[in-house]
Amino acid sequence: QPRALSEVNSPTIDWDPGLFADGLGLLFGSNRAGGTSPELFETARPSFDAPFVEPVARAELNSAEAEGDPWLSNDGRDIVFASTRDGSSHLYEAWR
């Protein structure tokens, strides 16, 4: 049975989840920061039995516009995501 990720869910809208690190990392879009545009947030858990920790905004990826629909490589080093930072929704890629 599916379970709500209550440790990750916020009272606002959370969507576009993407797992990485063999299911131990999670990247998703959310309006939780209080802005009108969604931002990307990241969280992790030490094992499948443990809850995810408090999500943090990915400030180096977020802009004043909307970000979402992330895909992150399993090693967490390559990301592709959608952003409206140039006025239209386009895809962006970054590495760490």
Side-chain angles (χ1 to χ4, degrees):
Q1 288 289 344
R3 79 165 181 92
L5 296 177
S6 57
E7 70 274 20
V8 174
N9 292 332
S10 72
T12 63
I13 300 171
D14 304 311
W15 67 93
D16 290 336
L19 290 168
F20 66 99
D22 295 324
L24 300 179
L26 176 65
L27 191 68
F28 61 98
S30 179
N31 280 9
R32 70 183 58 222
T36 57
S37 295
E39 296 182 329
L40 295 174
F41 285 80
E42 185 175 353
T43 183
R45 58 186 173 188
S47 69
F48 286 113
D49 298 344
F52 284 101
V53 299
E54 180 72 25
V56 294
R58 292 293 306 268
E60 72 278 14
L61 300 175
N62 293 326
S63 70
E65 302 303 319
E67 276 76 42
D69 200 19
W71 174 88
L72 198 64
S73 61
N74 194 47
D75 65 5
R77 299 183 50 88
D78 186 19
I79 184 172
V80 178
F81 63 98
S83 177
T84 60
R85 65 185 64 207
D86 67 359
S88 295
S89 184
H90 288 110
L91 299 177
Y92 290 81
E93 184 176 28
W95 301 268
R96 60 174 168 181

